[in-house]
Amino acid sequence: MTATAPRSHRGLFVTLEGIEGAGKSTQVKTVVAYLQAQGRIVIETREPGGTAVGEAIRSLLLQPSPTPMEPDTELLLMFAARAEHVNKLIEPALVSGQCVVSDRFTEASYAYQGGGRNVPGARIAVLEDLVQGALRPDLTLLLDAPVPMALNRARQRDRTPDRFESEAAGFFEAVRQAYLDLAQRAPERIRVVDATAAPAAVANEIRTQLGRLLGSP
Ligand code: TMP
């Protein structure tokens, strides 16, 4: 893996997380626009995905299937895609001083495979260290909304639900709780944003959090 550059020379790594329908895709644009307005070069990306191999793995992961995938298989595929993403895109961009904004990263593995599929956190931590070394996001914005509200929004999308979107509400309750637990354990790095508010209000809150990260008053 690429060696980690001194913090002061690195770009910023910002990730967005939340259950389906929390409004991540809309708010990724808010983060990108804010950082660009600060004169930064910003790369927008997503997980699973972000590279050719990562996008191929994404198709495999999201494709509905009559046979459930083994939780360990799902976890390993997430981290296989992440290894490509970290080595080919994220680390090189950060080392050259660019900002990376990713729609999901490793917190999603703790929430979905950990909370949703009951994979022990210690197993996930082994892969996190293996694939990422010391790399962690500088800021994770966790868009939080009650499951019924978020699922209602997600299910208004005009396409066939993917393998995760087809899960029952109880799965997403476990995922949401796992996300909130992560935020409680790392409150400085993972900020909970109330995603029940109108998109403009959510965007304002996100700009406030980014201002704090960049040291604005
Ligand atoms: P999305 O990016 O369109 O929300 O879809 C990606 C799906 O993959 C979403 O349901 C969450 C899931 N996922 C995991 O289960 N674990 C992970 O580590 C990541 C990055 C995503």
Side-chain angles (χ1 to χ4, degrees), residues 57-71:
I57 296 173
R58 178 185 177 92
S59 304
L60 201 60
L61 279 161
L62 298 193
Q63 191 181 302
S65 158
T67 325
M69 188 182 284
E70 288 297 319

Side-chain angles (χ1 to χ4, degrees), residues 21-23 143-147 149-150 153 176 193-199 201-202:
L143 303 193
D144 180 60
V147 171
M149 177 191 252
R153 284 187 196 156
R176 181 189 186 204
V193 175
D194 176 9
T196 64
V202 176

Side-chain angles (χ1 to χ4, degrees), residues 95-111:
V95 166
S96 71
Q98 298 174 349
C99 296
V100 177
V101 178
S102 186
D103 185 337
R104 299 192 188 282
F105 193 59
T106 306
E107 277 62 38
S109 298
Y110 283 102

